[in-house]
Amino acid sequence: METAIRWSQNCTPSNRRFLHVDGAGRSLKLCRADRIAGEGLQYHTLSEITRVPHFRAFDWSPQDEALIALGQPSGEVTVVNIENRTQETFSLPLKNQRQCNAVAISAKGLLAIGLDKVRSDFSLNIWDLNHHSVPSPIQSPASTGPTVEPYCKVAHSEPITSIKFFRDQPNLVVAGVKGQWVRIYDLRDGHGNAALQFATRCVHNIAIDPLDENYLASCAPVNDATICVWDRRSGSGEGSNSGYTSSSQTATGHAALELRKITDAQGMIWSLRFSKTKRGQLGMMASTGHLKVFDMIKDNVSDSATEMLYVNQVQEIHRPYYDANYGRGEKERVVCFDFMNEDAPNGEPQMLAGSADGKLSVISLNAAGGPFVFSPKADFVRSLADRPGIIELETPMSYPSSDVASISSGMQSKIYAQKEYYRTAKPFLKQRPVVENRNFDVRGKALLASSLIFRQRCLAGYRLSPTKNRSLLTDSPDLEQLWAWIEYARSASDAGAMTYNRLDLSYLGVHALWMDDVGPHPLEKRRVGQPDEGAPPISKTIEGLSKQSDFPAQKLCSTDFPANRRICLLVSGSALNPTELERKLEELQRSNQHTKAAFIALLSSLTKRAAMVLREDKQSQAQSQTNKMLAMAIAGMSQRQKKLHSQQKSPNRRESESSESDSESWTSTIDSMKTNIRDPYALAILSHTLSGSWSTVLSESQLPLKYRLGAALRWLPDRELTEFISRQTREVVETGNIEGIVLTGLGTSSAVQLMENYIRYSGDVQTAVLSLAHAVPRYVDDQAAIDKYEAWRETYRQAMNAWDLKFERVKFDIDSSKLSTSLNGTPAAKPHKQLSIVCEYCSQSIAHHPRPQDSHVARGDNGVDGPSWHRTQRHPLAPEKAAAIGTICPKCGRHLPRCGVCDLWLGMPDPTYLRHGAETYASNRKAKETNGDAEQVTNSEEMNGNTDSSDIVGKYQKQKQRQRHMEEMMANFVTFCIHCNHGFHASHALEWFGPRSSFAASSNTNNGLTGDSERQQVRRRVCPVTECDCICDRA
């Protein structure tokens, strides 16, 4: 124990006192806090005592704060009076000397001492300070004088590790027996048996909740550090109301809560402390400075006898000092803490903490966050915990465009940094990062901006066109390269360049083409022709593709698989003809990327062209000098290779020794250049010129994978190339590196696994769905991979609906259905239905069963497809009948809106058109219309020459019957305005917005309707809903 802090339980706001114990310096300080300002603490020392005996344990008396008990390694206990600076030692009648592990003082003046194990002796001794108060003189264990006997002895031949007294029942003491038990003893029991015990290895650092002493905590400090919280009422006998059992009722209880692996393996739990102002709040501190607080809540629905607990919130106050992101210096780590008995200004507990350098600070805990919700349109609503009843709205519309752009840039940099961390450290991807920043202005805006970016991309046309997508992603180099590869693969597939011998190898990566692993046989989804035709050999197909391809003449190493190398170079984008290569070099030079152009030329065996590119650099003087030195290194490599070649033909000893001396000097010069260069292409050039081998270039992790792969395909031997491709493919899949799509392709199961890990660390479902749509399920046979893709695809479709981008969703469905059609004209997936009824609130279908193509196909043991429909999760509070007839959404439980005209719920028929409620209305209307309108029809028929009145009346009656039937049908329908989203009964909408008669006075009249009037047909255009100014009938 280095140091410790104890805050007085009896202090008041005007008298804040705490004890500061320095174990290494052997001093005790009783201090008084004068002022607390934020994390700062101003205090002065009331009393101090130094040069106390070396001790392993201590306790501060809760009754008389002047008394402090110190447990010494020899087994003796020294009671210190810090106010008058006196020391008195209790000598125990020990048969064998042993160290004291724990001491405790009760509220009634009992002193408990826990000792190591000795055969045939007690290890837990209880002294009564009231009867043996400051004994003087006390003899040492070796003295021959009389010794004071303990008040009580328990725990025979058992080592004691920790002790605590209960304040509400001072005669109860809880002790930890090393490696075996946590026991509660009743000191009034003369037999010395445990009243209650828990079998556990968590026997250290016992702490009791002062606000609910039924709960106590203990820990196992090392080896998967674990904390257990116990309920002392568990195991109590019937009729026992004192919180403990008699000796005849001894029982073994179970933990109310167990917390495993709460700190790193390097750390050891040093302290457990309960809050003095908040019930169920437990603090833990480890030797590494790791400080965290657990908020525990009772499980009121538990069926067990023990009242179980669960963790409601965990606050990471300080991370270990060696943490890469949130660590601090070792001298600044927290080494002691204790809760204060007064709350912070925010109403939460606060604690006093001490660091290794001796500084004290006050830590205020954060209040639990209120409820919050994200909108699909990137709005964020949260409840303010410190202001009940007040909610706060954050919307991206209030952010400046530059702010969103900066957040987007910051997110990309974090993704790249995390990708590089995965590349070097390779941690388990299942470990999710902990968000330490509690500032909403930073974290909240980043979350909102990420959702806003995906929506803005979709709105800008980010769909299935690789060319369009590349133009939208100029700020993301990795995604731009991804769509560049997809653009090449799609053009090759559309042109049939990857089809030969009735086998389509489109959208495959380098790994599948080099390994001849294009999927499980019989390759039904890649065969072109009749299903009964046999699958052609993969190797013959690759050789045929290599012959029919326009592969430029290039230098390659000696290989047994030249066709595979050529196809892999084409797929990776590294096979350029001389014209294309020269055009690319000139473009890079114009964009001042001279080192990249030089590396590409060097990779294509154009050594002189690479040196010329570097010499023509006209940038800053420093950069120009660096590039000229790179050109000299390339020229030196060429001269060196020529000398070695000539020496091999005609060896000369003197020339050989001189050449070796020059080579060492040249190597040291190149090494010194590498220390000041950060450009990955320049480092790759130096690595190659230094060793003369391309294998050293492959270890440059900063160099893009595309160019490292190009170097490997050209110059690595077959066995080394196989190992390199396998290792790199495994790495990019595990880390979700989007660059690895050139290795996995899109038409393989490994591509789906890569995208799964990419989604895990970036959350970009949008890119994963749009890229995989080109090949899944058209070329993939793995049903598990197809199910994953379909789940992501449906998630993205629902997101577009929630963004109110339904037209974009329809375009995506149409384009993806076209892409899923094979060369035989057979669609790999059924197209989605474009018409469906969805809930206005949750944007999900109101159907109780999903569409067949949206659900995962169940497969039986025999491999036969089973039923494709399954029940979807429904809202538990949605009434069955209301959900069945469609008036309540079965997913979210929200009711349909009210009609804007009659203010009745939509989904129910219009009551004015129901037969049982409108018979009189219908008969009166029929008689009126027959007398008035029949006369008009008769007049029109007479003008046409038809004089048979019975035929005229019959036609009129049929016409009115059809009209009434149409009106009754429309009464069962609902309609919505696409501009303001208000709903109406269809019949009411027709009556409101339909034509109606109006009288307009002629020009010779005044403002009234007297005199000649003209009958006109007018329409309402404004929405009937109050305070809505929408022109609903506009186009």
Side-chain angles (χ1 to χ4, degrees):
M1 179 183 62
E2 296 182 2
T3 183
I5 288 178
R6 292 294 182 267
W7 189 268
S8 173
Q9 301 179 3
N10 306 317
C11 67
T12 61
S14 60
N15 185 19
R16 304 167 177 165
R17 302 206 301 174
F18 63 92
L19 179 67
H20 190 194
V21 179
D22 185 1
R26 298 167 55 191
S27 66
L28 307 174
K29 291 182 180 180
L30 182 61
C31 305
R32 178 176 179 176
D34 299 325
R35 184 173 179 270
I36 298 176
E39 294 185 358
L41 175 67
Q42 295 180 3
Y43 67 96
H44 68 277
T45 302
L46 297 176
S47 179
E48 182 179 5
I49 184 169
T50 59
R51 301 180 64 183
V52 298
H54 181 65
F55 59 94
R56 301 187 71 253
F58 81 97
D59 194 24
W60 194 14
S61 173
Q63 180 183 16
D64 186 358
E65 294 185 353
L67 297 182
I68 303 170
L70 306 177
Q72 303 176 27
S74 62
E76 296 180 346
V77 175
T78 299
V79 177
V80 176
N81 190 319
I82 195 171
E83 291 184 352
N84 57 21
R85 301 181 182 181
T86 58
Q87 303 180 27
E88 300 294 342
T89 302
F90 281 80
S91 176
L92 305 179
L94 303 176
K95 297 181 179 179
N96 297 293
Q97 192 175 24
R98 44 195 163 136
Q99 65 183 7
C100 176
N101 296 325
V103 294
I105 304 177
S106 73
K108 287 190 175 182
L110 297 180
L111 172 64
I113 304 172
L115 304 170
D116 263 351
K117 175 183 177 180
V118 170
R119 183 179 298 180
S120 301
D121 198 1
F122 294 95
S123 299
L124 180 57
N125 296 271
I126 312 297
W127 300 78
D128 190 351
L129 297 181
N130 298 313
H131 294 85
H132 305 284
S133 170
V134 193
S136 179
I138 298 297
Q139 302 296 329
S140 64
S143 65
T144 58
T147 59
V148 180
E149 289 293 327
Y151 168 76
C152 180
K153 296 181 181 180
V154 293
H156 190 269
S157 300
E158 292 178 328
I160 302 300
T161 57
S162 182
I163 314 170
K164 284 292 179 183
F165 279 101
F166 291 91
R167 294 196 65 183
D168 60 348
Q169 298 185 20
N171 291 314
L172 293 182
V173 60
V174 56
V177 180
K178 186 176 181 179
Q180 300 180 34
W181 309 95
V182 169
R183 286 177 174 165
I184 297 178
Y185 294 94
D186 186 358
L187 302 182
R188 295 168 296 184
D189 184 7
H191 300 284
N193 297 324
L196 181 66
Q197 62 183 8
F198 304 95
T200 178
R201 70 183 186 93
C202 300
V203 296
H204 297 269
N205 298 317
I206 294 177
I208 301 175
D209 190 348
L211 302 181
D212 187 357
E213 295 199 353
N214 291 317
Y215 292 99
L216 55 125
S218 60
C219 73
V222 293
N223 298 329
D224 296 335
T226 304
I227 294 177
C228 287
V229 181
W230 312 95
D231 185 355
R232 71 175 182 178
R233 295 166 297 184
S234 62
S236 298
E238 295 183 1
S240 175
N241 56 5
S242 60
Y244 60 94
T245 60
S246 64
S247 59
S248 61
Q249 294 172 331
T250 301
T252 301
H254 301 281
L257 178 65
E258 185 176 11
L259 305 172
R260 295 180 177 271
K261 297 182 179 180
I262 58 173
T263 189
D264 296 343
Q266 302 180 28
M268 178 178 65
I269 298 178
W270 273 3
S271 179
L272 293 179
R273 306 294 295 174
F274 273 100
S275 171
K276 298 179 177 66
T277 60
K278 187 174 183 179
R279 182 176 179 178
Q281 191 169 70
L282 176 66
M284 182 280 304
M285 186 204 67
S287 58
T288 57
H290 192 186
L291 179 61
K292 63 168 59 175
V293 176
F294 303 90
D295 286 337
M296 300 174 291
I297 296 180
K298 294 181 180 179
D299 185 4
N300 295 323
V301 297
S302 176
D303 296 332
S304 62
T306 303
E307 197 169 27
M308 306 303 291
L309 303 175
Y310 68 91
V311 176
N312 182 48
Q313 183 184 14
V314 179
Q315 296 189 39
E316 294 278 355
I317 308 301
H318 289 297
R319 302 288 290 178
Y321 70 88
Y322 50 80
D323 189 273
N325 297 321
Y326 308 102
R328 54 184 63 193
E330 185 175 0
K331 290 295 183 180
E332 298 177 358
R333 78 185 195 279
V334 176
V335 294
C336 58
F337 83 102
D338 193 14
F339 282 95
M340 303 167 65
N341 65 346
E342 56 181 286
D343 290 335
N346 62 354
E348 292 297 315
Q350 54 186 354
M351 59 176 64
L352 181 62
S355 57
D357 55 6
K359 296 181 180 180
L360 302 181
S361 61
V362 177
I363 300 175
S364 299
L365 303 185
N366 293 320
F372 61 91
V373 64
F374 279 103
S375 164
K377 295 183 181 180
D379 295 329
F380 178 80
V381 180
R382 61 170 180 166
S383 174
L384 300 180
D386 55 343
R387 299 172 63 187
I390 304 298
I391 62 174
E392 185 179 38
L393 171 65
E394 294 281 351
T395 172
M397 299 304 294
S398 61
Y399 301 157
S401 58
S402 59
D403 193 12
V404 176
S406 63
I407 293 174
S408 174
S409 176
M411 290 173 58
Q412 291 294 337
S413 63
K414 288 181 180 180
I415 290 176
Y416 297 149
Q418 190 173 12
K419 181 178 64 176
E420 181 61 26
Y421 175 71
Y422 285 152
R423 181 183 296 170
T424 56
K426 297 182 182 179
F428 292 104
L429 291 176
K430 294 183 179 179
Q431 297 178 354
R432 298 189 175 186
V434 178
V435 179
E436 294 286 344
N437 195 341
R438 301 180 178 90
N439 187 358
F440 173 77
D441 291 337
V442 177
R443 185 179 61 173
K445 286 188 178 182
L447 293 173
L448 297 183
S450 63
S451 178
L452 181 63
I453 289 170
F454 298 144
R455 183 179 184 275
Q456 293 299 327
R457 285 178 181 173
C458 180
L459 191 60
Y462 187 53
R463 287 193 294 274
L464 297 176
S465 172
T467 305
K468 176 71 172 179
N469 294 347
R470 288 184 64 186
S471 64
L472 296 174
L473 297 171
T474 55
D475 59 337
S476 178
D478 281 356
L479 295 183
E480 187 179 6
Q481 289 298 322
L482 167 68
W483 286 105
W485 186 89
I486 296 176
E487 184 178 15
Y488 161 78
R490 183 170 177 176
S491 61
S493 177
D494 295 342
M498 297 300 293
T499 303
Y500 184 83
N501 198 15
R502 306 187 313 278
L503 197 62
D504 185 6
L505 302 185
S506 300
Y507 296 104
L508 288 178
V510 170
H511 181 271
L513 294 173
W514 176 253
M515 303 293 183
D516 288 348
D517 181 15
V518 299
H521 287 275
L523 304 177
E524 295 180 355
K525 291 190 175 183
R526 293 193 174 273
R527 290 160 55 186
V528 180
Q530 299 298 327
D532 55 350
E533 298 179 1
I538 305 299
S539 58
K540 297 296 182 182
T541 302
I542 293 178
E543 290 178 4
L545 288 175
S546 176
K547 292 178 181 179
Q548 78 175 15
S549 63
D550 187 14
F551 185 81
Q554 292 186 356
K555 291 183 180 180
L556 299 175
C557 67
S558 177
T559 177
D560 295 334
F561 309 98
N564 296 71
R565 284 186 184 259
R566 294 191 185 99
I567 291 298
C568 289
L569 284 170
L570 284 172
V571 169
S572 64
S574 301
L576 300 177
N577 58 47
T579 304
E580 294 174 341
L581 178 60
E582 185 62 28
R583 187 185 306 115
K584 185 176 182 63
L585 295 179
E586 292 176 356
E587 291 177 357
L588 292 175
Q589 284 183 269
R590 285 193 296 269
S591 59
N592 292 326
Q593 301 183 53
H594 293 81
T595 55
K596 183 177 181 180
F599 175 79
I600 294 176
L602 191 62
L603 187 61
S604 303
S605 300
L606 302 177
T607 306
K608 294 182 179 179
R609 184 71 173 92
M612 184 177 64
V613 168
L614 293 171
R615 287 194 298 266
E616 292 177 353
D617 185 8
K618 303 299 182 182
Q619 297 185 58
S620 63
Q621 183 177 1
Q623 184 64 34
S624 178
Q625 291 295 331
T626 302
N627 290 345
K628 288 180 180 179
M629 294 185 67
L630 290 175
M632 293 175 60
I634 294 176
M637 179 191 66
S638 301
Q639 295 296 329
R640 186 181 173 199
Q641 290 176 348
K642 289 180 181 179
K643 287 184 179 180
L644 291 175
H645 184 67
S646 62
Q647 289 178 3
Q648 291 177 357
K649 288 184 176 181
S650 57
N652 188 322
R653 184 175 181 181
R654 290 184 179 180
E655 292 181 359
S656 177
E657 292 177 355
S658 176
S659 176
E660 290 180 0
S661 177
D662 294 341
S663 177
E664 292 178 358
S665 176
W666 184 79
T667 301
S668 61
T669 303
I670 298 299
D671 278 335
S672 63
M673 289 177 60
K674 292 181 65 175
T675 58
N676 299 322
I677 294 179
R678 296 293 180 266
D679 185 3
Y681 298 100
L683 289 174
I685 293 174
L686 290 177
S687 297
H688 177 61
T689 56
L690 182 63
S691 63
S693 172
W694 286 100
S695 59
T696 57
V697 176
L698 304 182
S699 60
E700 296 290 340
S701 59
Q702 299 294 332
L703 189 67
L705 178 61
K706 173 183 176 180
Y707 299 107
R708 286 186 285 141
L709 184 59
L713 289 171
R714 280 187 174 90
W715 308 112
L716 280 189
D718 292 341
R719 178 174 294 181
E720 296 180 12
L721 177 60
T722 301
E723 295 176 355
F724 174 79
I725 291 176
S726 300
R727 182 175 63 255
Q728 290 296 319
T729 303
R730 183 169 57 254
E731 182 177 336
V732 297
V733 170
E734 290 177 353
T735 59
N737 186 355
I738 203 69
E739 285 184 301
I741 207 69
V742 68
L743 286 168
T744 63
L746 291 175
T748 59
S749 301
S750 58
V752 180
Q753 296 176 9
L754 185 150
M755 286 298 178
E756 180 180 7
N757 291 327
Y758 170 72
I759 293 173
R760 183 170 296 168
Y761 78 77
S762 70
D764 189 3
V765 180
Q766 184 183 48
T767 298
V769 170
L770 295 179
S771 58
L772 291 176
H774 292 78
V776 183
R778 179 178 174 183
Y779 292 109
V780 177
D781 294 312
D782 186 1
Q783 187 60 41
I786 295 175
D787 291 344
K788 288 180 182 179
Y789 167 74
E790 290 295 338
W792 300 336
R793 186 177 190 272
E794 188 61 26
T795 300
Y796 182 54
R797 294 178 73 253
Q798 293 179 7
M800 286 189 286
N801 287 336
W803 293 337
D804 199 17
L805 300 179
K806 299 181 177 62
F807 289 104
E808 282 71 14
R809 190 260 305 162
V810 172
K811 294 176 183 178
F812 165 72
D813 288 340
I814 295 173
D815 294 342
S816 60
S817 297
K818 293 179 180 178
L819 285 177
S820 64
T821 304
S822 64
L823 294 179
N824 297 328
T826 304
K830 295 182 180 180
H832 284 266
K833 294 181 180 179
Q834 301 305 320
L835 296 178
S836 61
I837 302 177
V838 298
C839 175
E840 178 70 15
Y841 301 102
C842 66
S843 298
Q844 299 186 60
S845 173
I846 65 172
H848 294 271
H849 298 276
R851 294 186 296 274
Q853 60 269 26
D854 292 344
S855 60
H856 300 312
V857 178
R859 303 183 69 88
D861 296 336
N862 55 358
V864 180
D865 293 347
S868 60
W869 284 22
H870 61 83
R871 279 199 169 273
T872 57
Q873 184 178 5
R874 299 180 55 194
H875 193 275
L877 302 180
E880 295 291 334
K881 294 182 179 180
I885 64 178
T887 59
I888 287 181
C889 175
K891 306 300 190 306
C892 67
R894 297 287 293 269
H895 206 289
L896 284 173
R898 293 181 181 271
C899 174
V901 177
C902 68
D903 205 30
L904 298 178
W905 289 113
L906 296 179
M908 300 298 294
D910 182 8
T912 60
Y913 286 88
L914 294 178
R915 295 182 182 275
H916 65 272
E919 293 179 355
T920 304
Y921 171 80
S923 61
N924 294 336
R925 182 177 180 182
K926 180 178 180 181
K928 181 179 179 180
E929 292 175 349
T930 303
N931 295 333
D933 296 339
E935 182 178 354
Q936 296 180 4
V937 175
T938 303
N939 295 334
S940 62
E941 292 291 338
E942 288 178 352
M943 293 177 62
N944 295 330
N946 299 329
T947 57
D948 191 348
S949 61
S950 61
D951 293 342
I952 296 173
V953 174
K955 291 180 180 179
Y956 172 75
Q957 291 177 349
K958 292 181 180 180
Q959 180 182 356
K960 285 301 178 182
Q961 287 179 359
R962 287 195 298 270
Q963 183 178 355
R964 285 195 298 271
H965 179 66
M966 182 61 67
E967 290 176 352
E968 291 177 357
M969 289 182 59
M970 293 300 295
N972 296 324
F973 283 85
V974 296
T975 183
F976 292 88
C977 174
I978 63 174
H979 302 290
C980 63
N981 292 329
H982 287 129
F984 313 93
H985 290 107
S987 57
H988 291 173
L990 288 176
E991 291 182 2
W992 181 267
F993 296 106
R996 61 187 179 88
S997 298
S998 177
F999 290 94
S1002 60
S1003 59
N1004 59 352
T1005 61
N1006 295 325
N1007 293 335
L1009 292 177
T1010 59
D1012 295 335
S1013 299
E1014 297 177 357
R1015 188 172 185 175
Q1016 299 178 353
Q1017 296 292 324
V1018 298
R1019 295 174 180 268
R1020 295 187 181 96
R1021 304 188 64 192
V1022 181
C1023 179
V1025 178
T1026 306
E1027 298 181 357
C1028 181
D1029 299 330
C1030 174
I1031 308 299
C1032 295
D1033 69 338
R1034 71 179 186 270

